[in-house]
Amino acid sequence: RVVRENTAVPCVVVAGAATSGQAAELAAQGDGVIVDTAIAKQVAELGQSSVGSVGAYVRRMKKAVGQGL
């Protein structure tokens, strides 16, 4: 919150959000949420077949932070 009050530069929150609920909560504190670890875990578990599930995950997360796809 302090950063957002003192700059016009977009700020993202890096806090290990893995669920859409967590992403929505964190998005209220910044301009975006980093969810790279959750995506990396899906890719590590599913390999090349992760494309569909990662796409669905990203759509859910975007919707949760109010940027629907």
Side-chain angles (χ1 to χ4, degrees):
R1 186 173 47 200
V2 171
V3 174
R4 290 183 85 195
E5 292 172 357
N6 291 288
T7 185
V9 176
C11 301
V12 296
V13 178
V14 181
T19 68
S20 56
Q22 292 169 337
E25 187 175 314
L26 292 170
Q29 299 174 35
D31 298 304
V33 179
I34 304 292
V35 294
D36 58 335
T37 301
I39 292 171
K41 285 181 182 179
Q42 286 188 39
V43 172
E45 290 175 15
L46 302 173
Q48 290 182 335
S49 64
S50 66
V51 173
S53 66
V54 168
Y57 176 77
V58 170
R59 284 189 291 279
R60 285 193 308 273
M61 296 301 262
K62 286 186 76 169
K63 185 176 181 181
V65 298
Q67 297 179 19
L69 227 187

